[in-house]
Amino acid sequence: MSDDRDTTGYCDTGTPYSDPAPEAGGPPFAECVLCRRPTEYPESYKGITLCPVCEWQEAQRTACSG
């Protein structure tokens, strides 16, 4: 019996994860766009910046519930 099921996964988009943001060496840190707490990203980082708590919560909200 042949198993021809798709093994890439239900939520697999086929694209690799984006490059991680550069780490800040020290202050000033960028503010979280949701709670305004300091993040781990430098103030010069372009794009959406989230603190570790909001980043984890956002990942939970968007996680695949297969």
Side-chain angles (χ1 to χ4, degrees), residues 31-57:
E31 286 185 343
C32 176
V33 297
L34 299 177
C35 69
R36 317 271 298 167
R37 291 187 184 129
T39 66
E40 298 173 341
Y41 304 106
E43 207 170 61
S44 61
Y45 178 71
K46 303 265 191 253
I48 296 173
T49 54
L50 298 173
C51 70
V53 173
C54 290
E55 195 168 329
W56 180 82
Q57 289 173 343

Side-chain angles (χ1 to χ4, degrees), residues 10-11 60-66:
Y10 180 77
C11 291
Q60 291 295 312
R61 282 192 287 272
T62 60
C64 174
S65 59

